[in-house]
Amino acid sequence: MTSTASHQSVLDKPFVLDLFAGPGGLDVAGHALAIPSLGIEWDRSACLTRYAAGLDTLHADVSAVRRDSFESLPPEINVLAGGPPCQTYSVAGKGAGRKALDEVKKYIERLMAGDPDRAIDKDLKSLSDPRTALVLEPLRYAIQATRSQNRGRRPYDVIVLEQVPAVVGLWDHYEKVLEETGLPDGTRYEVVVDVLDTETYGVPQTRRRAVLIARRVGLGGPALPPPSHHAYEAKEWNRRSDDAALRVHRPPEAHQPTLCDGDTDEGGTPEIVERRTTDPDEKRPWVSMGEVLAARVGTHAGRATPFLVRSNYGSSGIPGRRGVRTDRQPAATVTGRISRFVVFEHLDEKVVREGARFSMNEAGMLQSFPPDYPWSGTAQAQQVGNAVPPLFGAHLLSAALGLPAPTPDLMRKPWQPATEEQRAKLRSHGCGAADTCTARCPRPEDQKSVPASE
């Protein structure tokens, strides 16, 4: 459910094309907002999850669909969305994309000038990592829409993009050319770009994303979604050491961890602290792991609190220091390493219960997926980490379309998986057969080089 405030969508019948759709974060958001969508996804396992969830899907290469079968896409699509693979741009990767940012900007200029696709494709082969060029695909789709006979040469009305913060410079360049240069047919957009914190939209984890929202000129200027929750600010919490359940946890010096994001006392040792309860500007407090995981819902039996979580990656950019948070804090950024996080009971790293890792259901819930989302196939932890947090996606779509902001409990109801008949129908459409991939699907050996979006 969304809020009851009076709003009128900028579009009569929004229909989303989700590029690099992953396991369905943005499509789940659309489903919750009663907005139809079609996702294009390369990774076989992510598509299996999407079919199981009942999401309309094409198991295909985004670039190949644009080149070879764009005319077969539903002409009703009027919203373009996507999160291109970010591995080459991410600070966690080797950084080929960051080094190529200026070069990619030159390709943006060439696309807007109307350079032939064949010439651009030939030159893009010189990039050291082919995934770097995928950040151009949303723009190439926007241009292709103005050339499509199937759509009557009609441009997309709304564009919504999200990526890792390192790509904000490219989104800024997108903004410049969409507003000042316009597409080759003359279509111009009004655009907003920023880096947003997902916990300020009710997602129970700290995660930063560079977002772009564009509306075609004439539909009214877009706005970023207003934050609904407070940012995670450890230094502003009220410290409380007299509660036995919130005792300061000081493990032995030999393996002493530190809390993520600088959550330490002045001496550098971890301290359990109490959330701020004041609400001067009517924003809600950020959502903690315990708030999401403690209660029994659907098949989730509920996780006993208090608990402590040690992440698999370093704190403050130092790999040797594993970040630690308690159930009263939001999760650290959920990535494909979420299955390696260790969960300790009673705020004591010596007390580990059976099944100490997060289940995939719990990992999905920390991403704000509904409970019982049907994770399928292999590399499920990577699917979870790659996904757009659905609640965050719902805020983006609502802002882009002028809809009321979603309520915090939008994703709390257990997901109803597709029936076997529905799965078979979706896979027949997405893969070409009811129970298997076909020759038109990306080959597994090719998928190793371009995994699902992160």
Side-chain angles (χ1 to χ4, degrees):
M1 297 291 291
T2 55
S3 70
T4 57
S6 177
H7 286 73
Q8 179 65 44
S9 173
V10 298
L11 302 179
D12 291 335
K13 295 181 179 180
F15 192 137
V16 178
L17 177 63
D18 185 9
L19 308 180
F20 312 101
L26 201 61
D27 304 79
V28 169
H31 179 274
L33 300 173
I35 299 172
S37 65
L38 169 64
I40 304 176
E41 175 53 40
W42 172 288
D43 182 71
R44 176 181 179 274
S45 290
C47 286
L48 292 179
T49 295
R50 294 178 60 85
Y51 297 146
L55 302 176
D56 199 7
T57 304
L58 292 178
H59 183 194
D61 177 353
V62 165
S63 301
V65 171
R66 172 182 52 79
R67 289 192 307 265
D68 306 327
S69 55
F70 190 91
E71 297 298 322
S72 68
L73 296 175
E76 302 91 343
I77 291 172
N78 51 12
V79 179
L80 180 67
C86 72
Q87 289 90 338
T88 60
Y89 296 93
S90 173
V91 294
K94 295 182 179 179
R98 296 195 300 276
K99 297 176 182 176
L101 282 177
D102 288 339
E103 187 173 358
V104 172
K105 289 178 182 179
K106 295 177 182 177
Y107 283 104
I108 290 176
E109 300 288 350
R110 291 178 58 184
L111 286 168
M112 301 301 273
D115 277 17
D117 284 338
R118 183 174 298 180
I120 289 178
D121 287 338
K122 179 181 178 181
D123 293 343
L124 283 171
K125 293 179 180 179
S126 65
L127 293 175
S128 59
D129 190 322
R131 295 173 298 182
T132 304
L134 294 176
V135 78
L136 296 170
E137 284 298 333
L139 182 58
R140 301 187 79 171
Y141 266 75
I143 293 170
Q144 189 65 27
T146 66
R147 300 169 178 167
S148 173
Q149 298 294 337
N150 186 37
R151 294 174 48 81
R153 300 181 183 275
R154 182 166 56 85
Y156 296 115
D157 293 309
V158 174
I159 301 174
V160 181
L161 305 177
E162 68 90 41
Q163 251 278 14
V164 293
V167 183
V168 70
L170 271 185
W171 288 169
D172 286 337
H173 202 63
Y174 261 53
E175 177 182 16
K176 179 178 184 294
V177 297
L178 287 172
E179 289 190 337
E180 298 178 10
T181 307
L183 301 180
D185 75 331
T187 300
R188 295 174 186 266
Y189 292 83
E190 295 182 80
V191 186
V192 289
V193 172
D194 206 349
V195 176
L196 305 179
D197 299 310
T198 61
E199 83 273 12
T200 64
Y201 298 95
V203 178
Q205 67 167 300
T206 52
R207 186 187 192 101
R208 306 189 75 223
R209 304 302 288 179
V211 302
L212 175 149
I213 298 176
R215 289 183 189 167
R216 186 169 50 80
V217 169
L219 293 176
L224 294 166
S228 57
H229 293 67
H230 284 293
Y232 172 69
E233 296 286 354
K235 293 181 180 179
E236 294 185 11
W237 298 352
N238 294 319
R239 297 177 181 271
R240 204 174 90 181
S241 60
D242 57 343
D243 188 332
L246 293 174
R247 291 191 303 271
V248 173
H249 173 60
R250 300 181 187 277
E253 289 293 329
H255 66 279
Q256 179 172 304
T258 57
L259 298 182
C260 294
D261 301 328
D263 304 337
T264 59
D265 62 18
E266 292 181 0
T269 52
E271 181 170 343
I272 308 308
V273 287
E274 176 72 357
R275 294 177 56 185
R276 182 176 60 182
T277 57
T278 57
D279 195 12
D281 53 2
E282 298 183 353
K283 293 178 186 174
R284 296 171 180 263
W286 42 257
V287 179
S288 71
M289 291 183 280
E291 289 175 71
V292 172
L293 300 182
R296 178 187 298 271
V297 56
T299 62
H300 175 60
R303 181 174 282 274
T305 58
F307 61 80
L308 193 73
V309 180
R310 187 177 67 210
S311 71
N312 181 255
Y313 43 83
S315 173
S316 302
I318 304 174
R321 295 166 59 188
R322 302 301 182 186
V324 174
R325 294 192 184 184
T326 76
D327 61 280
R328 297 201 174 208
Q329 297 168 267
T333 302
V334 174
T335 70
R337 298 179 181 180
I338 184 66
S339 60
R340 304 179 191 176
F341 285 19
V342 181
V343 183
F344 302 89
E345 288 186 335
H346 308 302
L347 310 181
D348 186 347
E349 288 192 70
K350 295 181 180 180
V351 182
V352 185
R353 70 180 177 88
E354 185 178 356
R357 314 284 174 161
F358 286 127
S359 68
M360 285 304 100
N361 191 20
E362 290 177 318
M365 291 165 69
L366 293 177
Q367 270 278 59
S368 76
F369 275 88
D372 294 343
Y373 195 70
W375 302 101
S376 305
T378 60
Q380 292 181 15
Q382 195 65 47
Q383 291 184 50
V384 174
N386 286 348
V388 178
L391 185 55
F392 182 60
H395 278 273
L396 294 181
L397 288 177
S398 295
L401 297 171
L403 296 172
T407 57
D409 60 352
L410 183 68
M411 303 295 172
R412 299 293 178 89
K413 184 179 179 181
W415 187 267
Q416 296 299 316
T419 64
E420 289 300 324
E421 181 180 359
Q422 290 170 331
R423 291 190 196 193
K425 183 177 180 180
L426 288 167
R427 193 163 190 184
S428 293
H429 175 233
C431 290
D435 58 354
T436 187
C437 287
T438 66
R440 80 184 196 191
C441 298
R443 297 180 303 172
E445 56 267 32
D446 293 335
Q447 294 181 33
K448 294 179 182 178
S449 62
V450 190
S453 58
E454 182 172 274

